[in-house]
């Protein structure tokens, strides 16, 4: 049995042509819906992710993009990770500490830098307008996550030409292939 995918979008959510939305339609899963997609706070966004995790049955794999990646890090810092969270695919983490970032992301500036309590793969672009590859590598190292480059892929969103994002599906497949179900306890 494969884990249920929980999609964690970033600012503005992920529109109908974004790979997260297309993947959810293709693979199923649950989408985290925030009260205000343009006013993220680590507390409220992590709390909503926690609610979704608690309400979803089975083993879980988090699939996050952009500010959604920071939501996963905030969740891991604020809540005892559910043993059902088997791992995370963290795509295009933004560098919200940069001075040129939109004001809406300022509340996210205290990026948690502790190791994540579950395996994670950080997927980063070498020409992301919201983070250098070096910064993505620093975050991956702090989170004790694996890092993979997808070359020059922009922010890995619709604007950078990533709708279906077949390369991402391959990475998701690799994460799912590496996933090990918890031991079955027999009575």
């Amino acid at each position: 049995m494969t884990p249920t995918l929980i999609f964690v979008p970033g600012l503005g959510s992920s529109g109908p042509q974004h790979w997260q939305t297309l993947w959810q339609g293709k693979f199923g899963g649950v989408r985290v819906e925030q009260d205000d997609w343009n006013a993220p706070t680590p507390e409220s966004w992590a709390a909503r992710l926690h609610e979704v995790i608690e309400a979803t049955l089975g083993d879980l794999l988090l699939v996050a993009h952009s500010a959604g990646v920071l939501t996963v890090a905030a969740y891991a810092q604020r809540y005892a990770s559910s043993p059902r969270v088997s791992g995370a695919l963290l795509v295009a983490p933004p560098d919200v500490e940069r001075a040129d970032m939109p004001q809406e992301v300022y509340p996210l500036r205290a990026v948690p830098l502790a190791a994540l309590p579950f395996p994670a793969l950080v997927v980063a672009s070498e020409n992301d307008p919201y983070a250098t590859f070096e910064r993505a590598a620093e975050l991956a190292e702090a989170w004790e996550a694996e890092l993979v480059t997808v070359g020059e892929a922009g922010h890995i969103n619709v604007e950078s030409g990533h709708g279906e994002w077949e390369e991402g599906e391959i990475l998701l497949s690799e994460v799912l292939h590496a996933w090990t179900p918890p031991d079955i306890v027999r009575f």
Side-chain angles (χ1 to χ4, degrees):
M1 177 182 203
T2 59
T4 299
L5 302 178
I6 294 186
F7 295 94
V8 189
L11 263 188
S13 188
S14 298
Q17 297 306 311
H18 192 282
W19 58 266
Q20 282 186 311
T21 305
L22 297 172
W23 287 10
Q24 186 179 4
K26 189 173 188 176
F27 305 121
V30 179
R31 184 187 195 93
V32 176
E33 293 290 344
Q34 300 293 351
D35 289 332
D36 189 341
W37 284 110
N38 296 310
T41 66
E43 299 81 14
S44 66
W45 279 32
R48 180 56 51 85
L49 174 56
H50 179 67
E51 289 172 10
V52 170
I53 287 170
E54 291 298 305
T56 305
L57 299 175
D59 296 311
L60 312 172
L61 179 74
L62 308 179
V63 180
H65 180 258
S66 193
V69 171
L70 304 182
T71 301
V72 170
Y75 160 78
Q77 179 185 46
R78 286 172 170 72
Y79 299 94
S81 175
S82 168
R84 295 180 303 113
V85 175
S86 301
L89 180 66
L90 307 173
V91 180
D95 183 359
V96 293
E97 295 173 355
R98 288 182 7 190
D100 64 341
M101 292 299 282
Q103 186 175 1
E104 294 86 2
V105 299
Y106 285 177
L108 301 175
R109 284 189 160 181
V111 176
L113 297 176
L116 297 175
F118 40 76
L121 176 65
V122 172
V123 180
S125 167
E126 294 174 17
N127 67 340
D128 189 329
Y130 299 111
T132 64
F133 185 76
E134 292 75 21
R135 178 59 175 159
E138 290 170 4
L139 293 172
E141 183 176 351
W143 296 332
E144 296 183 6
E146 290 186 49
L147 174 68
V148 65
T149 177
V150 288
E152 294 186 352
H155 194 51
I156 315 173
N157 59 4
V158 174
E159 289 75 20
S160 62
H162 297 86
E164 288 284 337
W165 193 36
E166 292 174 5
E167 183 178 9
E169 286 187 35
I170 293 168
L171 293 169
L172 176 63
S173 170
E174 290 173 5
V175 170
L176 289 171
H177 180 69
W179 173 74
T180 305
D183 292 332
I184 297 174
V185 178
R186 300 193 189 276
F187 296 94

